[in-house]
Amino acid sequence: MLLDTFGRQAVDLRVSLTDRCNLRCTYCMPEEGLQWLAKPDLLTDEEIVRLVTLAVRDLGVREVRFTGGEPLLRPGLVAIVAACSELEPRPELSLTTNGIGLARTATALREAGLDRVNVSLDTLDPEVFFTLTRRRRHQDVLEGLAAAEAAGLAPVKLNSVLMRGVNDHEAADLLAWCLERRYELRFIEQMPLDAQHGWDRSSMVTAEEILELLRTRFQLTPEPSARRGAAPAERWVVDGGPGRVGVIASVTRPFCRACDRTRLTADGQVRNCLFATGETDLRTALRSGADDAELAALWRAAMWGKKAGAGIDEPEFHQPERPMSAIGG
């Protein structure tokens, strides 16, 4: 098992398959992009499958989510999913994507064994999408969402970040649109994980503000807290159901006490927290001939040292040097 000193067990593995992305979202990276990892620094497909196998077979991981950057840019994605779907015990397999390219890959991913997808979409307006992402790919995302639903990658979840003065006026419209299509919407507070370190807490749209915006058009009834478990989203039943909406308040209402995640970066580093400033190198050990027992020991030690919380509310908080695109969302 992957335990820490506070009694938490990590059963949810987030695997970043690449640091590259085909969008340039303002809250993630600069317009000119970043210095990408060199190909020799990336884990190979076989190395990823070996480490996921170790996590599932020997370390108690039950859920695996593939992230990026943009994971659909990984050429071997379908084969990786297929290999992981054959593991025993079989983990739940999901994917977080910006949706570009999903229209042509959704069916293949479902046939390979992927269970569901989370798609990032912050606006229904193509021009606002261009402002936020610096790319004119809005229609591609809509087509990707529809393809995921048609392929049976359900429930399709949609992640949205509201930016003050940019798209915060769309909160209720986004929820109405998702309810009509049976997508599950999650609003996420903007987190300090941008490459340019431009995050400003005072400009962040908070969870309470998001709920106020939604309540102008919908009746929201909180789900019992017991149903949340270790899930990051607090959920509300909308207008009596069956639709629901979630809010991930990573900054104003952190859920660290129930965190059950461990993270593997595209270059083979274990991170025990999204906001961690340190990493444990599995790639070097793996390529130096370490056996599974040695790799498992390194992974256990990395998780044992996990802090009680992310520390965003602490005055001495320092933003991680690596942006979200490099460590997986």
Side-chain angles (χ1 to χ4, degrees), residues 18-323:
T18 178
D19 59 328
R20 296 173 184 264
C21 189
N22 41 16
L23 297 179
R24 297 291 182 269
C25 296
T26 56
Y27 51 78
C28 184
M29 69 172 72
E31 185 172 4
E32 65 274 13
L34 299 168
Q35 183 67 44
W36 306 125
L37 292 167
K39 187 173 181 178
D41 294 336
L42 295 172
L43 293 176
T44 65
D45 294 359
E46 293 75 15
E47 288 170 337
I48 290 170
V49 172
R50 180 181 172 188
L51 291 175
V52 172
T53 300
L54 174 68
V56 171
R57 185 192 64 210
D58 299 340
L59 298 175
V61 164
R62 299 194 294 267
E63 301 174 31
V64 178
R65 179 179 296 186
F66 299 107
T67 70
E70 173 46 52
L72 292 180
L73 295 178
R74 178 87 185 202
L77 173 61
V78 172
I80 291 171
V81 170
C84 293
S85 72
E86 295 175 357
L87 296 177
E88 292 292 343
R90 187 198 187 282
E92 178 183 318
L93 300 174
S94 60
L95 177 80
T96 294
T97 173
N98 61 28
I100 296 173
L102 190 56
R104 64 176 179 270
T105 55
T107 299
L109 286 167
R110 183 72 183 100
E111 291 174 350
L114 192 71
D115 295 306
R116 62 177 183 82
V117 292
N118 284 46
V119 179
S120 299
L121 180 64
D122 304 320
T123 177
L124 300 176
D125 185 331
E127 290 305 314
V128 176
F129 183 88
F130 177 70
T131 297
L132 284 168
T133 69
R134 308 180 178 108
R135 298 291 186 271
R136 296 196 179 277
R137 306 298 298 272
H138 188 258
Q139 185 61 34
D140 293 329
V141 180
L142 301 187
E143 291 173 2
L145 282 162
E149 177 76 15
L153 291 168
V156 174
K157 296 186 178 181
L158 194 147
N159 296 336
S160 292
V161 175
L162 296 182
M163 305 288 286
R164 194 177 303 282
V166 179
N167 65 334
D168 52 336
H169 63 285
E170 292 190 70
D173 290 338
L174 278 163
L175 178 53
W177 188 82
C178 287
L179 290 172
E180 182 180 342
R181 290 158 179 79
R182 298 188 302 278
Y183 301 152
E184 293 191 12
L185 178 61
R186 301 285 187 274
F187 289 103
I188 305 174
E189 287 182 336
Q190 183 193 1
M191 294 181 284
L193 290 168
D194 56 310
Q196 57 270 40
H197 291 198
W199 180 81
D200 182 356
R201 185 187 180 109
S202 65
S203 66
M204 179 190 71
V205 181
T206 67
E208 284 305 321
E209 290 176 294
I210 293 168
L211 292 172
E212 289 175 10
L213 290 167
L214 297 179
R215 287 184 176 120
T216 61
R217 282 174 55 184
F218 301 99
Q219 179 182 351
L220 303 180
T221 305
E223 279 193 341
S225 58
R227 294 192 61 182
R228 180 181 181 186
E234 298 176 76
R235 298 208 309 172
W236 283 262
V237 178
V238 182
D239 290 343
R244 284 163 170 73
V245 65
V247 178
I248 299 177
S250 301
V251 177
T252 61
R253 293 201 289 268
F255 43 88
C256 300
R257 284 189 299 176
C259 182
D260 65 350
R261 296 180 183 179
T262 183
R263 298 175 183 274
L264 183 65
T265 68
D267 55 348
Q269 312 298 306
V270 169
R271 296 179 67 91
N272 59 28
C273 174
L274 187 60
F275 297 98
T277 55
E279 300 174 332
T280 297
D281 184 3
L282 293 187
R283 184 192 65 203
T284 298
L286 188 155
R287 292 180 180 177
S288 298
D291 62 22
D292 286 354
E294 292 170 309
L295 293 171
L298 284 172
W299 207 328
R300 289 190 185 99
M303 297 308 298
W304 186 251
K306 186 171 182 173
K307 295 180 179 179
I312 300 177
D313 290 327
E314 299 173 5
E316 63 272 19
F317 172 75
H318 294 290
Q319 179 173 329
E321 287 303 313
R322 296 225 274 178

